[in-house]
Amino acid sequence: MTVRARVVWAFVVFAAPAMLLVAWLSWQWRRDAAVDALVAAATERMESGGRERCEADPSSFGEGWRGRHRHPRGGRRPTLRGARLRAYDAELRPGAPGVPPLERALRESLEAGDDVAVGERAGGSPVIAMRMPWTEGPCAVLTIEPRDGPLASHAGPLVRDLALGFGALAVGLVVALIALGPPLRRLGRLAESVKKSGDGLAVPPGVAGEDEIGAVARALEESGARIRAHVAGLEKRERALSEYVDGTTHDLAIPLTVLQGRLSDAERALREGAPVDPALVAGAIAECEYVAQLVANLAAAARLEGGAERVARGEVDLACLVERVASRHRPIARHHGVELDFATPERAVRVRGDDILLERALRNLVHNAIRHSGDREGGHVAMLLESKEGRFALTILDDNPQVDEALAARLARGDAIADPRRARGRGLGLGIVRRVAEAHGMALSFRAREGGGLEVRLEGELLA
Amino acid sequence: VTKPFWPDELMARIGARLRRPAMRRAEERADVVRAGTLEIDLGAPRVTVSGDEVELTRAELGILSILARRAGRAVARATLVEEALDEARGGGERTLDVHVSRLRKKLGDEGKRIVTVWGIGYRLELERGTER
């Protein structure tokens, strides 16, 4: 149902019956007021000489009442002027020949004890029957047949009121429909623009005002912007995830294939009774190490992608963490011919953070340092944890001679560094380090060391 | 220990746990650190090699005491400078190296137990040739 049809329907269903009820109640009130006024006027008139005149000649009494016709209490109330009065005795018998008998309804009402009864003559004209304050004589009961006022015509005033009411209603309806036109047209334009909005809702001219429709338009525009941003974020994440899965699948497939080949070679050698080449086993270990690192980084990336609520905020002792990472990486370092060492303060270095993610970040840094310093005997990697004046600094050093200022700057910017030796590395490990540092409010910096090597520094506040 | 782990890592974790302050207290109460013929009495303080007392300067004794208290573990150069040298007398990392060099000479063959740890500082090795 359109808004216009709803307005018309509301007028018909609610306003018209309400108007009818009001008109009827108004008419009833005016009629009761007229009856009261006529009864008061007749009583006053009878008590001031009318009774004597009536009892003297009941047959001619009350034919077209003349004389003083002002209502005793003034105002514009109905008067007895022109009204026909007829007299009856206390037994409701006509007071004179030629006076018609009292109508049955009136008789029953008066006999039931009412002092005033309102009814109709046989011809349909209204009549009021009233008892006088006395019961003797032929004029103990009077009937009044008014010639004008609300009682003179049953339907006249009601019809007039109804006509006026319906006229006012019709005018109101037309005004309402006219007033609804512009806002409905604006709503229509707004709906059209929403339907047509592809990349974004642009509110058409004339729609965005300061009223409720303008507020709806603005709310739609803002909501659309939020939805677009959300969708863009989802699409970006989906693209990143898709690329990431592609890359990871590729990265996993290569070491697994190599591992399988090396194990096959080892198995063949064992079956033939030949010694297994240590280089074969070393290669297999390297592949296992890479796969383990990749899978662990995937888990960390998933946690970081899950948002801040998935990052725990517990108490972490960085000294223990450094020691743990060193002990975990010593076998790997040894395998790569790298010397790994660390130094921590004697006292605990406590920070608030996610133990697992912080360990993951540190392991990535140390693993990268070992990997890039390795494959040459005599490589070094060191972790140095220091704390002073409420802050800590964790430095990871290596002596990779290939590091220069340009590489350090690229690492600081977050550019992915491809490993030309293995065609691996999409910057996932360092990306996780960066995200973990951000999530913990820590500063991460990269610097090329004098004499070769990289210095990665992670700084932050200690737990108060 | 989260799987997967190397046996070496498990051993290192147990070692680390044993080195924690609560475990270390008993060790620290014994104020004498012995490494081969080198004996460092942290309470006295006094240093002997094969029973013969070695004359050390205050700075040298300070450096050796710090290394002995944390024997087997690397100690940062900055820590040694801060805790053993007098900054007012120009104590810096270069000075530290000079002091360590002299200390090694004074300790003779046992001086080789003070090893340079790349990127960090120095370590006093209890077992000669211990790989860390």
Side-chain angles (χ1 to χ4, degrees):
Chain A
M1 187 184 281
T2 64
V3 174
R4 283 194 178 91
R6 191 174 289 276
V7 168
V8 172
W9 184 82
F11 265 79
V12 171
V13 173
F14 297 109
M19 197 275 300
L20 277 173
L21 181 66
V22 168
W24 184 79
L25 288 173
S26 168
W27 181 76
Q28 282 288 330
W29 176 80
R30 286 160 61 187
R31 185 171 169 272
D32 291 347
V35 169
D36 289 347
L38 287 171
V39 167
T43 305
E44 192 266 343
R45 177 57 58 93
M46 292 298 282
E47 285 176 340
S48 56
R51 179 183 178 187
E52 289 75 16
R53 286 197 298 278
C54 176
E55 288 178 350
D57 186 7
S59 60
S60 63
F61 175 76
E63 279 295 336
W65 193 285
R66 291 181 183 81
R68 197 157 63 102
H69 54 267
R70 184 183 293 275
H71 190 275
R73 276 172 276 178
R76 299 181 62 187
R77 296 190 175 194
T79 65
L80 292 172
R81 184 177 184 182
R84 174 182 286 173
L85 280 73
R86 291 195 171 107
Y88 297 84
D89 62 14
E91 299 302 320
L92 305 179
R93 291 186 296 265
V99 174
L102 205 57
E103 275 65 24
R104 188 176 173 184
L106 294 173
R107 177 186 292 275
E108 286 174 354
S109 181
L110 292 174
E111 282 175 350
D114 293 341
D115 288 332
V116 177
V118 181
E120 289 177 357
R121 287 289 184 196
S125 59
V127 59
I128 301 166
M130 57 180 286
R131 285 189 183 276
M132 291 290 110
W134 54 90
T135 54
E136 300 83 18
C139 297
V141 172
L142 280 186
T143 62
I144 308 164
E145 294 173 45
R147 298 289 180 211
D148 57 8
L151 285 174
S153 168
H154 278 297
L158 184 60
V159 168
R160 191 185 62 228
D161 288 354
L162 284 175
L164 282 172
F166 275 116
L169 269 184
V171 170
L173 181 59
V174 169
V175 170
L177 292 176
I178 290 170
L180 275 173
L184 288 176
R185 279 194 292 279
R186 286 169 63 201
L187 277 175
R189 288 211 300 277
L190 183 61
E192 280 299 312
S193 58
V194 170
K195 273 187 211 165
K196 290 176 185 167
S197 61
D199 292 335
L201 170 65
V203 178
V207 171
E210 291 302 316
D211 57 0
E212 291 83 350
I213 296 173
V216 168
R218 282 189 293 278
L220 280 171
E221 211 166 22
E222 287 165 11
S223 173
R226 279 198 300 275
I227 291 169
R228 281 195 302 282
H230 185 62
V231 169
L234 286 177
E235 284 173 353
K236 188 180 167 192
R237 278 182 65 178
E238 196 180 326
R239 272 197 305 276
L241 186 65
S242 176
E243 287 169 8
Y244 185 65
V245 169
D246 285 349
T248 306
T249 308
H250 181 256
D251 280 0
L252 276 174
I254 293 171
L256 287 174
T257 308
V258 174
L259 184 60
Q260 192 179 10
R262 287 182 172 161
L263 288 175
S264 297
D265 289 348
E267 191 218 3
R268 193 183 311 116
L270 286 171
R271 203 183 301 130
E272 291 168 357
V276 177
D277 183 0
L280 206 64
V281 179
I285 290 172
E287 298 306 329
C288 286
E289 173 200 318
Y290 177 73
V291 171
Q293 191 77 2
L294 191 61
V295 170
N297 276 337
L298 273 174
R303 283 189 73 186
L304 289 166
E305 283 298 322
E309 67 276 7
R310 292 197 63 191
V311 178
R313 297 285 169 197
E315 189 179 308
V316 182
D317 181 358
L318 289 181
C320 284
L321 185 71
V322 166
E323 198 167 337
R324 194 159 69 231
V325 171
S327 66
R328 286 193 163 193
H329 280 79
R330 276 220 172 90
I332 300 170
R334 195 161 46 233
H335 174 70
H336 285 276
V338 170
E339 193 178 312
L340 170 65
D341 221 314
F342 70 94
T344 60
E346 279 192 281
R347 286 182 297 182
V349 180
R350 293 194 176 88
V351 296
R352 187 165 295 288
D354 191 308
D355 196 9
I356 293 170
L357 287 179
L358 284 171
E359 181 173 336
R360 188 71 254 149
L362 186 55
R363 287 184 69 163
N364 283 350
L365 289 173
V366 172
H367 191 265
N368 278 354
I370 292 170
R371 203 153 52 92
H372 294 296
S373 295
D375 298 338
R376 62 187 176 86
E377 282 301 319
H380 293 93
V381 173
M383 284 185 281
L384 182 58
L385 177 64
E386 297 161 294
S387 66
K388 205 171 185 180
E389 294 169 357
R391 292 186 67 78
F392 76 89
L394 175 56
T395 313
I396 295 94
L397 306 160
D398 67 51
D399 58 355
N400 175 13
Q402 292 177 335
V403 175
D404 55 16
E405 288 293 344
L407 178 66
R410 285 174 66 193
L411 290 169
R413 284 197 305 271
D415 297 347
I417 307 295
D419 183 343
R421 288 171 298 174
R422 302 189 184 183
R424 280 178 182 169
R426 294 165 188 278
L428 173 64
L430 274 183
I432 286 171
V433 173
R434 197 166 281 110
R435 294 280 304 275
V436 170
E438 277 171 16
H440 289 80
M442 296 173 181
L444 179 69
S445 58
F446 297 85
R447 191 172 70 84
R449 298 179 68 243
E450 283 179 25
L454 181 69
E455 179 182 310
V456 185
R457 201 170 165 86
L458 198 60
E459 294 172 277
E461 288 183 3
L462 292 175
L463 196 61
Chain B
V1 182
T2 315
K3 289 191 289 183
F5 59 89
W6 301 80
D8 288 7
E9 184 195 340
L10 180 62
M11 295 307 292
R13 292 286 288 272
I14 293 169
R17 184 57 65 99
L18 290 172
R19 280 196 296 275
R20 280 186 182 177
M23 297 291 187
R24 252 188 258 156
R25 261 180 234 128
E27 191 183 310
E28 281 172 3
R29 272 199 296 275
D31 280 343
V32 180
V33 177
R34 291 185 184 85
T37 59
L38 175 65
E39 190 174 295
I40 306 155
D41 186 342
L42 296 169
R46 185 166 169 271
V47 178
T48 60
V49 176
S50 304
D52 298 328
E53 186 168 346
V54 181
E55 291 290 327
L56 298 178
T57 63
R58 198 167 65 178
E60 290 161 356
L61 190 63
I63 292 166
L64 191 57
S65 299
I66 294 166
L67 292 174
R69 273 205 306 270
R70 311 194 69 190
R73 295 165 69 83
V75 180
R77 303 166 73 85
T79 307
L80 291 168
V81 169
E82 196 178 310
E83 295 182 14
L85 301 187
D86 186 354
E87 272 188 65
R89 293 186 181 180
E93 294 196 5
R94 290 286 173 207
T95 313
L96 174 71
D97 292 340
V98 172
H99 284 301
V100 171
S101 174
R102 284 181 185 161
L103 182 59
R104 279 174 176 154
K105 277 183 190 166
K106 286 182 181 179
L107 295 177
D109 197 40
E110 295 294 353
K112 291 175 186 170
R113 290 183 182 276
I114 301 172
V115 297
T116 304
V117 181
W118 183 90
I120 296 176
Y122 297 97
R123 176 173 60 233
L124 178 67
E125 290 189 340
L126 294 173
E127 303 287 331
R128 291 283 285 275
T130 305
E131 191 186 351
R132 288 196 48 84

